[in-house]
Amino acid sequence: MREIVETLLLTILIFWAVNAATGRFKIDGSSMEPNLHNGQYIIINKLVYQLKDPERGDIVVFQYPNDPSRDFIKRVIGVPGDQVRIEQGRIFINGTYVSEPYIDQLGAYSGTWNLEKDDFFVLGDNRNNSSDSHNWGILPRDNLIGRAWVIYWPFEDWGIVPHHALSEYKFAFQASEN
């Protein structure tokens, strides 16, 4: 009997630990096309942003600021202290053009946003079919749930979620200056 109780307690402890560190999220809609697709399921890392700050290019899941009962998924474009300027769909961070190889089409909008401490600017990869920072504003850090990590369903799409590291942005900045 003791072994059964110990096994059950260990199972509950492992289940609790996994759920505290990760979450599951279903992609609902086409706002992250062509990289994430409607109906896909992903695992998110809920601990990563307690250990480090979100970076440009990270795909994040967060509570929608206008309705915290809804979770959204978008890509981080601007981080605290940045000025994000969009001119005819082209992104400029602190005055420097940013190449975005992960999108198929530029957004049909323009604007400028100055990010304060704990502010993030997020956009869907399908720029003209996404409810994101360009129309509802800045994402507060407190709304972040976690970083998208693995696509696990459907099985044929299984793999790591495509992020674009800061080093790639530095390369894009350097390339745009030439």
Side-chain angles (χ1 to χ4, degrees):
M1 183 68 168
R2 179 178 172 195
E3 288 179 16
I4 293 172
V5 171
E6 286 176 350
T7 302
L8 286 174
L9 288 176
L10 183 59
T11 302
I12 291 169
L13 179 66
I14 291 171
F15 179 79
W16 176 83
V18 167
N19 279 324
T22 65
R24 279 126 331 270
F25 181 79
K26 180 183 178 188
I27 307 298
D28 186 19
S30 62
S31 72
M32 290 302 291
E33 295 280 350
N35 299 296
L36 298 173
H37 310 288
N38 186 46
Q40 286 181 322
Y41 286 83
I42 64 171
I43 296 173
I44 61 173
N45 180 336
K46 297 192 311 190
L47 297 178
V48 67
Y49 296 135
Q50 294 177 27
L51 304 173
K52 68 177 200 136
D53 292 328
E55 298 177 354
R56 290 182 205 96
D58 284 358
I59 296 177
V60 296
V61 173
F62 58 91
Q63 294 172 325
Y64 176 46
N66 294 337
D67 181 359
S69 69
R70 297 176 61 196
D71 295 338
F72 277 21
I73 185 167
K74 306 292 176 204
R75 188 179 301 274
V76 174
I77 301 298
V79 298
D82 281 348
Q83 180 190 65
V84 177
R85 189 175 82 245
I86 302 175
E87 291 179 8
Q88 298 175 344
R90 289 177 168 52
I91 305 290
F92 295 83
I93 306 261
N94 303 322
T96 305
Y97 173 74
V98 178
S99 173
E100 296 183 285
Y102 48 82
I103 64 171
D104 283 344
Q105 185 177 22
L106 296 175
Y109 47 83
S110 298
T112 301
W113 297 263
N114 294 306
L115 306 182
E116 303 293 328
K117 181 180 184 242
D118 296 328
D119 288 347
F120 292 88
F121 190 85
V122 295
L123 293 175
D125 290 351
N126 186 354
R127 297 293 159 79
N128 293 311
N129 192 18
S130 179
S131 174
D132 51 36
S133 287
H134 91 273
N135 55 12
W136 46 254
I138 303 304
L139 174 68
R141 183 184 182 98
D142 289 344
N143 288 53
L144 287 172
I145 296 171
R147 184 177 195 252
W149 181 27
V150 174
I151 302 166
Y152 70 91
W153 190 261
F155 186 71
E156 60 269 10
D157 294 342
W158 191 91
I160 302 297
V161 172
H163 298 272
H164 289 268
L166 181 61
S167 61
E168 292 178 65
Y169 281 92
K170 287 180 182 174
F171 176 77
F173 289 161
Q174 292 166 354
S176 71
E177 293 171 357
N178 295 333

